[in-house]
Amino acid sequence: MLEIAGYEDGPLADGSRFLDLPLFWPCHLGSSLWGEDAQAVAFGPDWDDAQELYRTLSSPDEWPTFTLHLHSGYALHVLYRNLEGDHGVDYLLSHPDWTEAATLATDDGHFMGPGLSWPELEASADQGATSGVTDPNARLLLLFPMLGDADVPEAAAPRLASALAELTIVEDPAEVARVLLKNQGQWTPARWREADGTWICDGSHSFRNPENRFALPAPRLTAASSALRER
């Protein structure tokens, strides 16, 4: 049985069956596809099918969950939190020694984030694993909604477009990548800096900004920084 500390009461279910569905990806990336033009280029004529898939993903009877193991022993979890009246996607960091997973970002009507920078996104995607989600392209797209980075490098667009071309059927992956990187979720792209060996940001809705009253405790901030950047 799939278990994540702090979510013992949720009907968690392995979401791996969705990874091979091309329409899953624009559904998952929807919070960065603002407006009719963005949705048209991402979904094309498949809007109705995408809506049906979203209803499956958001069913309260089953919470699709994806686990991405990291070299450090930590793991990232992308969890569809399908509570009645409180749907959203939680992005979590866990460790076997922790009694509760740390929330890095939430993608819902009361969004919190960003949860990581582009270097952390790429490093986490490229950490090889033998269980959970292993494909680097799938790892990149699963974690993308956590992104909030005002200094994304030029190489980000082709990397993202390559992942979209591999896993989706969008007609113009480069254009979808451009839109995704322009929007970057529901928050303002943050600026990241290293402070005493820990990477933090200035996002006003981020758990990784130590100046926010709801920020992760210092040990969790350090753990997230080291786990996400290890290659």
Side-chain angles (χ1 to χ4, degrees), residues 29-43:
L29 299 166
S31 61
S32 292
L33 296 169
W34 304 345
E36 293 182 3
D37 291 344
Q39 292 173 2
V41 73
F43 293 99

Side-chain angles (χ1 to χ4, degrees), residues 10-148:
L12 308 188
D14 181 6
S16 59
R17 71 184 187 278
F18 295 107
L19 299 180
D20 293 328
L21 300 179
L23 273 180
F24 166 72
W25 298 106
C27 286
H28 182 66
L29 299 166
S31 61
S32 292
L33 296 169
W34 304 345
E36 293 182 3
D37 291 344
Q39 292 173 2
V41 73
F43 293 99
D46 299 314
W47 179 252
D48 290 340
D49 290 339
Q51 290 289 89
E52 182 62 32
L53 175 57
Y54 178 75
R55 283 189 283 271
T56 299
L57 289 167
S58 58
S59 169
D61 297 328
E62 185 174 275
W63 297 7
T65 304
F66 308 85
T67 296
L68 292 73
H69 294 287
L70 304 175
H71 292 168
S72 56
Y74 290 88
L76 290 165
H77 307 278
V78 179
L79 187 154
Y80 279 71
R81 173 184 26 85
N82 295 332
L83 290 168
E84 290 283 0
D86 187 23
H87 293 269
V89 183
D90 292 342
Y91 293 83
L92 312 168
L93 179 71
S94 71
H95 189 276
D97 294 337
W98 290 2
T99 58
E100 188 171 5
T103 303
L104 299 182
T106 59
D107 189 3
D108 58 18
H110 305 283
F111 65 87
M112 299 296 290
L116 45 61
S117 63
W118 177 265
E120 292 171 335
L121 171 59
E122 196 166 33
S124 299
D126 291 340
Q127 292 189 35
T130 57
S131 61
V133 182
T134 59
D135 175 47
N137 289 323
R139 290 166 69 99
L140 186 80
L141 296 187
L142 278 170
L143 298 178
F144 182 87
M146 270 207 291
L147 177 68

Side-chain angles (χ1 to χ4, degrees), residues 124-205:
S124 299
D126 291 340
Q127 292 189 35
T130 57
S131 61
V133 182
T134 59
D135 175 47
N137 289 323
R139 290 166 69 99
L140 186 80
L141 296 187
L142 278 170
L143 298 178
F144 182 87
M146 270 207 291
L147 177 68
D149 193 333
D151 299 307
V152 171
E154 291 185 6
R159 172 71 194 273
L160 185 57
S162 177
L164 290 166
E166 183 69 24
L167 296 176
T168 76
I169 55 174
V170 298
E171 293 185 0
D172 192 345
E175 174 61 13
V176 175
R178 184 193 69 79
V179 170
L180 290 171
L181 288 169
K182 177 183 178 182
N183 292 336
Q184 291 188 37
Q186 303 185 73
W187 37 73
T188 302
R191 296 196 177 277
W192 295 81
R193 64 184 178 87
E194 188 175 13
D196 298 325
T198 297
W199 283 89
I200 59 175
C201 75
D202 62 0
S204 60
H205 295 88

